[in-house]
């Protein structure tokens, strides 16, 4: 099936709370990164400063947000953004976990920076569009 029919409104029976879950998760992700800085430094003291990955994820989120508008203009764009954002965040977490487990700093950095940054952008933009439609 094409993506538009899978994510189209005619096939969706998801409740608004379920659709808002990725947005709430993205909000929490932005704040949890500072909590894991100290344990990662303790476990891997030879790694570079972990706060750089946080800064890069915010930069990736800002840059990616500029390119997501075309995706949202589609009829099923909001659901697609939320699903893709969830996938990107899960992929970023998995890459970061593999990097920490096997002592690969690049995998952790790319997972946090690119994966979470893109996922945060996709879910935040979708949430902003919902809020604008709700109030206006």
């Amino acid at each position: 099936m094409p993506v538009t029919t899978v994510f189209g409104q005619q096939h969706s029976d998801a409740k608004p709370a379920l659709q808002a879950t990725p947005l709430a998760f993205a909000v929490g992700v932005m704040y949890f990164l500072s909590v894991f800085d100290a344990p990662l430094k303790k476990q891997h003291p030879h790694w570079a400063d972990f706060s750089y990955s946080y800064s890069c994820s915010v930069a990736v989120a800002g840059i990616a947000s500029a390119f997501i508008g075309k995706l949202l203009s589609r009829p099923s764009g909001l659901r697609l953004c939320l699903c893709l954002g969830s996938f990107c965040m899960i992929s970023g977490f998995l890459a970061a976990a593999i990097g920490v487990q096997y002592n690969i700093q690049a995998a952790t950095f790319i997972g946090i920076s690119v994966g979470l940054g893109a996922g945060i952008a996709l879910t935040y933009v979708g949430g902003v569009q919902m809020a604008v439609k709700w109030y206006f």
Side-chain angles (χ1 to χ4, degrees):
M1 282 187 179
V3 173
T4 54
T5 59
V6 172
F7 294 105
Q9 193 169 5
Q10 67 272 17
H11 291 3
S12 176
D13 56 351
K15 303 294 180 207
L18 183 63
Q19 294 172 351
T21 301
L23 175 64
F25 187 66
V27 171
V29 164
M30 293 302 289
Y31 297 107
F32 99 92
L33 289 173
S34 63
V35 173
F36 285 109
D37 192 23
L40 277 175
K41 281 244 181 258
K42 188 175 182 181
Q43 185 177 2
H44 301 286
H46 58 282
W47 280 13
D49 193 10
F50 184 69
S51 63
Y52 291 129
S53 62
Y54 174 76
S55 300
C56 287
S57 76
V58 172
V60 167
I63 292 168
S65 296
F67 298 103
I68 297 173
K70 291 270 190 194
L71 186 63
L72 280 173
S73 64
R74 299 173 57 183
S76 60
L78 178 61
R79 287 180 184 86
L80 185 61
C81 278
L82 293 176
C83 288
L84 285 175
S86 298
F87 176 76
C88 286
M89 282 193 279
I90 290 168
S91 300
F93 276 124
L94 286 175
I98 289 169
V100 169
Q101 180 67 31
Y102 294 108
N103 201 14
I104 305 169
Q105 185 179 6
T108 304
F109 184 80
I110 291 171
I112 296 292
S113 300
V114 178
L116 288 180
I120 289 166
L122 284 162
T123 53
Y124 262 81
V125 169
V128 168
Q129 184 193 29
M130 279 192 297
V132 167
K133 285 183 178 180
W134 189 8
Y135 288 111
F136 296 105

